[in-house]
Amino acid sequence: MYKNLMPIGSVVRLAGGTHKIMICGRIVCKTNETAIYDYVACLYPEGIISTEELYFFNRDAIEDVYFIGSQDQEELTFRLNVLNQLGELEVVDGQITSKKHDAQ
């Protein structure tokens, strides 16, 4: 489900957007919300100015890709060992956890 997420540092523009943004986090949720987003980003080239200027979105909102972030061995290992092994997720008590399926 998450194996094709873009690396940190990737620069994109969202559909309907006018500014470039830079991905600074993956598989995140907003404080006090239960929705899980593929990405969180900040303005590019400004960076994180404040937490009020973070953009939470899913991969289907990306319209243009300007730069793909670093994909060194550490990133590739992270993607293989962590992102590829994530199943369905949910937010429980403010934390992202694997969704528990009831045995039937």
Side-chain angles (χ1 to χ4, degrees), residues 4-18:
N4 295 321
L5 287 181
M6 299 181 79
I8 301 296
S10 297
V11 178
V12 302
R13 185 179 59 77
L14 302 181
T18 57

Side-chain angles (χ1 to χ4, degrees), residues 10-89:
S10 297
V11 178
V12 302
R13 185 179 59 77
L14 302 181
T18 57
H19 290 87
K20 294 177 185 174
I21 56 177
M22 182 178 66
I23 295 170
C24 56
R26 298 175 284 193
I27 311 172
V28 295
C29 63
K30 292 180 181 181
T31 303
N32 299 321
E33 289 190 16
T34 59
I36 299 172
Y37 298 92
D38 292 336
Y39 302 107
V40 62
C42 57
L43 289 173
Y44 178 85
E46 294 90 338
I48 299 174
I49 297 169
S50 77
T51 56
E52 302 297 316
E53 304 234 8
L54 293 176
Y55 302 88
F56 293 80
F57 60 98
N58 291 315
R59 66 185 92 200
D60 58 353
I62 297 172
E63 186 157 305
D64 292 312
V65 176
Y66 296 96
F67 178 77
I68 305 260
S70 177
Q71 295 188 79
D72 62 4
Q73 190 58 51
E74 194 169 3
E75 165 63 18
L76 296 174
T77 300
F78 177 80
R79 207 175 314 163
L80 179 66
N81 293 335
V82 178
L83 296 181
N84 286 347
Q85 294 178 22
L86 291 175
E88 287 187 61
L89 301 175

